[in-house]
Amino acid sequence: MSKQELEVIGQDAACCPGLSAAPLDEDQAADLAKVFKALGDPVRLRLMSMIASRGESGEVCVCELTPAFDLSQPTISHHLKLLRQAGLIDCERRGTWVYYWVLPGVLDQLAAFLSTAQPARAGA
């Protein structure tokens, strides 16, 4: 596997129990590392944010994403491909344009993994 290829990970809730629930095994850590690697680039993080923040439609055309960056269209497409390969987004071609959306539950799963239960504090 090349440095730039990311493997699609499963979308099931059993993927990762949560950071403080139990230590990750090797496979879980490898799967999550792919997701965090995809999100570790500022351009990809912005793209993810732009796609995730869509209102009612939940999807965005690549023609709306590209002008927000001082990058070429092929570079934007490459970043979107890496987000797809990480299992964060999906797309569909409609005529000339490609539309992107966040896969259902992905952000909730990441949030659940990163959240920790806050213990009740005495006197609070």
Side-chain angles (χ1 to χ4, degrees), residues 10-50:
Q11 303 297 316
D12 59 352
C15 162
C16 309
L19 191 57
S20 63
L24 294 174
D25 65 31
E26 287 183 41
D27 291 336
Q28 292 170 326
D31 287 345
L32 275 168
K34 293 171 189 172
V35 171
F36 288 122
K37 180 177 180 181
L39 292 173
D41 181 90
V43 171
R44 290 192 291 271
L45 192 56
R46 283 187 62 207
L47 284 166
M48 187 70 184
S49 173
M50 292 171 73

Side-chain angles (χ1 to χ4, degrees), residues 62-83:
V62 70
C63 63
E64 298 174 64
L65 297 171
T66 306
F69 299 89
D70 190 23
L71 298 169
S72 68
Q73 183 276 325
T75 301
I76 296 297
S77 292
H78 170 73
H79 286 295
L80 290 165
K81 176 184 171 185
L82 294 177
L83 290 171

Side-chain angles (χ1 to χ4, degrees), residues 33 40 61 120:
C61 178

Side-chain angles (χ1 to χ4, degrees), residues 47 50-55 57-69 73 76-77 80 89-102:
L47 284 166
M50 292 171 73
I51 296 167
S53 66
R54 287 310 266 197
S57 69
E59 60 187 30
V60 62
C61 178
V62 70
C63 63
E64 298 174 64
L65 297 171
T66 306
F69 299 89
Q73 183 276 325
I76 296 297
S77 292
L80 290 165
I89 63 173
D90 203 358
C91 66
E92 175 181 80
R93 178 173 294 280
R94 297 181 197 151
T96 305
W97 302 111
V98 178
Y99 290 80
Y100 292 87
W101 60 89
V102 175

